[in-house]
């Protein structure tokens, strides 16, 4: 279990409890966090579960696979720290994770 | 000298009714002819409301089941907001089936062939590298999952219709609604499909199973061995007063027979085999019923049995257990059948076991009754190979009575009148 | 659950003993000697056939099966099958039961767990249906003879199509 905080562009911070084994995307969807569209539901197809990982956490998350990297090229507003949240698996080591929610997924 | 065959001069009409003389007959051609079968697919199965599933099969958002309904592979699911959908289970790309599990929970569907992915509300959700497809590809809805034209629900029973211009489900169900209410009202918490569907088949025309499912007349003969078995459980020879049960025309081809029977009913009819504990349990259930729906309705729910057909191919039999059964003709002489058990949510373990035991003693391909029905219908189908010489089924029983009984054949005549209306524009006088 | 057994704490019978028993059971069923087949069960025995594809330990108190006979109903099933009024099996179908892959699965408090694979052919009216899957038994000893306490037949066909019925003892 890990507490994850989502920072929205209007400055609002939203903290949720994510279950170990879930993806960050699933945790967001099931907790009703807005701004994570995840149109394909975690199948690594839509590039709309884009989050920006806070700088201090970037090297604490397993790096993206080549499939994720390919799809990351298609996200809206890609920058350093951009990840697809469906590919980030929650475990206790991520307790306290902070990610930014982009202005739009499309 | 050439032999002259004395085949019947078969009139073109398939259903004949003479109310004055009390005669009703159906041409056996209706059970064997390929052209009639093709017409049924087009004029009945592509126009009528067909049962797809029960609310209780999709308990949470993102749940889905897959099944073939009316000859088409469908996904029946709930999206992330919990809305119910029915989609054609075919990838908009090159047609592979999108969901191949029988049931599951998923936020999105991904086709295993090329990876095209979709939100579980049907929207296309795959980003392509720019230049692969035209600008705007996938954004206009053309790559979304195709929804079934109509999806609607009544008291937890969900139906689809392939005819976008059809009447509403409520209007279609007509007077069957009241009897669906009776079934849905067994429990204060609602009803649920109990796990484990029975999937079987018959080498017989689908309309034979419609008839058989509401046939009170055959019980004493076909199911004599079941009734002998029942005798011990109820402490004496069973009396099946099918002559006292009533048939009701529910309009639009639907019909029900309702009456008393000697077997136990988990919702309210005790039998000695259930012992004193069972007696107390039943009394408590009956008391709750009376408090919730009133004395008259409680008696109807607890003590009366119902065999109901919803045109064209849904049977709900509320007898010693409740079965929801649907079937579909793959050919004039072959149908696939799915049979579920329905019961109250939160039923006690004791009663759930009683209900399932009751079900299996009679119903289902391993029961003491259904296999003999299969035998009877398959036997009839073989008999129909003689249709050119022995061409008619007689379904006249009870036609001159003011109130036909469960062991008469009015409930079949309701079906055939609607069938004739759709297939040949009406009944020949 | 399957546990490999070894050593003197294991069952005293060889696998061949159990195979002989299963072949004998199959022969009785093939020959419609149902009363003798029933005599292979102890009083209180159960006989179950879940629907296809369910977990091996699925409960008949929670899910719809094809057959979930307690001892009383199993006796009644046999009695019924021997009557002409069991129309699905009158005239009697011909049958053949092939048993293989016999394994001793483990020892329980009240007997030995045995598993095997089966293929059962039922033939009638120019049509042959093939039932196949695994049998799971709990066998016990009575006066030096093997007896069945529990029998569960797990069908491996994806549905009962085109079989349409389980009117025989698979």
């Amino acid at each position: 279990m890990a507490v994850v905080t989502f920072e929205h562009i209007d400055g609002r911070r939203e903290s949720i409890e994510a279950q170990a084994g879930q993806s960050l995307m699933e945790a967001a969807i099931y907790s009703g966090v807005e701004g994570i569209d995840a149109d394909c539901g975690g199948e690594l197809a839509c590039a709309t579960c884009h989050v920006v990982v806070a700088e201090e956490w970037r090297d604490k998350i397993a790096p993206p696979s080549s499939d994720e990297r390919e799809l990351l090229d298609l996200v809206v507003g890609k920058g350093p720290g951009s990840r697809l949240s469906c590919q980030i698996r929650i475990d206790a080591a991520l307790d306290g994770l902070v990610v930014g929610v982009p202005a739009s997924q499309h | 000298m050439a032999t002259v065959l004395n085949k019947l001069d078969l009139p073109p009409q398939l259903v004949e009714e003479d109310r004055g003389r009390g005669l009703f007959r159906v041409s056996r051609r209706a059970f064997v002819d390929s052209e009639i079968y093709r017409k049924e697919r087009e004029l009945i199965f592509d126009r009528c409301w067909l049962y797809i599933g029960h609310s209780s099969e999709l308990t949470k958002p993102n749940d889905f089941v897959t099944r073939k309904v009316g000859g088409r592979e469908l996904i029946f699911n709930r999206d992330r907001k919990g809305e119910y959908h029915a989609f054609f289970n075919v990838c908009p790309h090159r047609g592979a089936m999108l969901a191949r599990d029988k049931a599951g929970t998923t936020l999105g569907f991904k086709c295993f062939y090329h990876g095209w992915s979709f939100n579980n509300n049907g929207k296309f959700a795959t980003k392509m590298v720019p230049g692969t497809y035209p600008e705007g590809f996938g954004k206009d809805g053309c790559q979304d999952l195709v929804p079934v034209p109509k999806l609607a629900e009544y008291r937890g029973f969900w139906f689809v219709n392939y005819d976008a211009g059809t009447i509403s489900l409520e209007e279609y169900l007509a007077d069957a609604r009241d009897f669906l209410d009776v079934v849905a009202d067994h429990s204060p918490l609602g009803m649920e499909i109990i796990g484990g569907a029975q999937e079987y088949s018959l080498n017989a025309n689908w309309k034979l199973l419609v008839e058989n499912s509401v046939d009170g007349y055959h019980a004493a003969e076909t199911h004599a061995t079941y009734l002998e078995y029942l005798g011990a459980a109820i402490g004496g020879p069973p009396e099946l007063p099918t002559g006292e049960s009533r048939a009701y025309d529910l309009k639009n081809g639907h019909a029900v027979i309702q009456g008393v029977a000697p077997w136990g009913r988990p919702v309210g009819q005790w039998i000695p085999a259930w012992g004193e504990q069972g007696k107390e349990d039943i009394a408590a259930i009956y008391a709750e019923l009376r408090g919730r729906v009133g004395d008259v309705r409680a008696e109807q729910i607890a003590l009366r049995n119902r065999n109901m057909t919803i045109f064209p191919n849904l049977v709900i039999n509320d007898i010693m257990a409740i079965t929801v059964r649907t079937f579909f003709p793959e050919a004039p002489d072959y149908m696939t059948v799915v049979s579920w058990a329905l019961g109250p949510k939160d039923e006690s373990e004791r009663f759930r076991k009683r209900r399932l035991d009751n079900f299996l003693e009679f119903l289902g391909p391993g029961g003491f009754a259904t296999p003999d029905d299969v035998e009877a219908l398959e036997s009839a189908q073989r008999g129909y190979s003689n249709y050119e010489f022995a061409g008619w089924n007689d379904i006249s029983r009870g036609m001159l009575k003011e109130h036909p009984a469960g062991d008469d054949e009015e409930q079949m005549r309701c079906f055939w009148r609607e069938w004739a209306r759709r297939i040949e524009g009406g009944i020949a006088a | 659950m399957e546990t490999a057994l070894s050593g003197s704490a294991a069952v005293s019978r060889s696998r061949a003993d159990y195979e002989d028993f299963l072949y004998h059971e199959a022969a009785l069923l093939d020959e419609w000697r149902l009363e003798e087949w029933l005599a292979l069960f102890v009083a209180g025995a159960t006989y179950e056939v879940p629907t296809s594809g369910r977990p091996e330990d699925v409960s008949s108190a929670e899910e719809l099966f094809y057959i979930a006979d307690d001892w009383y109903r199993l006796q009644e099933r046999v009695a019924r099958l021997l009557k002409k009024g069991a129309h699905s099996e009158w005239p009697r179908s011909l049958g053949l039961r092939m048993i293989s892959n016999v394994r001793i699965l483990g020892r329980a408090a009240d007997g030995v767990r045995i598993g095997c694979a089966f293929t059962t052919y039922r033939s009638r009216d120019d049509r042959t249906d093939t039932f196949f899957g695994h049998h799971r038994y709990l066998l016990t000893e009575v006066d030096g003879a093997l007896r069945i306490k529990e029998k569960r037949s797990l069908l491996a066909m994806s549905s009962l199509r085109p079989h349409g019925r389980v009117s025989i003892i698979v």
Side-chain angles (χ1 to χ4, degrees), chain B residues 69-90:
Chain B
V69 178
R72 298 188 173 93
E73 300 279 4
L74 302 182
I75 298 170
F76 177 42
N77 73 316
R78 296 178 72 182
D79 64 24
R80 298 176 198 184
K81 298 195 176 90
E83 306 277 324
Y84 287 78
H85 297 273
F87 295 109
F88 292 100
N89 191 356
V90 58

Side-chain angles (χ1 to χ4, degrees), chain B residues 90-315:
Chain B
V90 58
C91 184
H93 180 211
R94 281 157 50 193
M97 281 173 66
L98 217 34
R100 293 170 303 133
D101 289 336
K102 286 209 132 151
T105 305
T106 184
L107 291 172
F109 294 106
K110 176 163 109 164
C111 181
F112 77 104
Y113 196 6
H114 305 89
W116 279 33
S117 299
F118 305 83
N119 192 307
N120 64 16
N121 65 8
K123 296 263 172 284
F124 182 59
T126 310
K127 251 202 190 101
M128 307 296 187
V129 170
T132 317
Y133 284 93
E135 186 71 37
F137 183 82
K139 294 195 165 67
D140 57 359
C142 284
Q143 309 308 327
D144 290 349
L145 299 190
V146 179
V148 175
K150 291 279 194 186
L151 174 69
E153 172 251 356
Y154 185 78
R155 297 301 309 273
F157 298 98
W158 285 85
F159 295 78
V160 295
N161 199 313
Y162 294 118
D163 178 1
T166 190
I167 59 176
S168 73
L169 176 64
E170 288 224 352
E171 201 186 328
Y172 178 86
L173 289 174
D175 295 347
R177 286 189 317 237
D178 188 42
F179 287 90
L180 288 171
D181 286 340
V182 169
V183 173
D185 283 342
H186 277 214
S187 157
L189 298 169
M191 304 296 277
E192 63 181 4
I193 295 287
I194 300 166
Q198 297 177 333
E199 298 178 304
Y200 57 108
S201 61
L202 280 88
N203 291 297
N205 187 273
W206 68 282
K207 300 186 289 297
L208 289 172
L209 189 52
V210 178
E211 293 179 326
N212 172 262
S213 302
V214 287
D215 183 336
Y217 188 14
H218 82 296
E221 196 57 52
T222 310
H223 301 313
T225 57
Y226 169 76
L227 294 172
E228 284 154 22
Y229 162 79
L230 194 60
I234 63 174
E239 282 166 30
L240 200 58
T242 44
E244 286 160 34
S245 61
R246 281 275 308 264
Y248 298 92
D249 179 345
L250 303 177
K251 306 194 183 69
N252 294 345
H254 319 313
V256 69
I257 56 172
Q258 179 173 259
V260 299
W263 47 63
R265 288 175 56 73
V267 71
Q269 178 160 298
W270 176 83
I271 51 169
W274 291 351
E276 285 310 305
Q277 178 67 66
K279 212 178 211 178
E280 281 176 37
D281 293 339
I282 294 275
I285 291 173
Y286 204 132
E288 190 281 329
L289 265 175
R290 290 174 67 194
R292 179 163 46 91
V293 301
D295 286 359
V296 171
R297 189 65 143 195
E299 203 221 347
Q300 183 187 16
I301 290 176
L303 299 175
R304 293 195 197 289
N305 300 267
R306 282 152 287 282
N307 292 52
M308 175 165 59
T309 55
I310 307 277
F311 192 92
N313 64 340
L314 172 63
V315 165

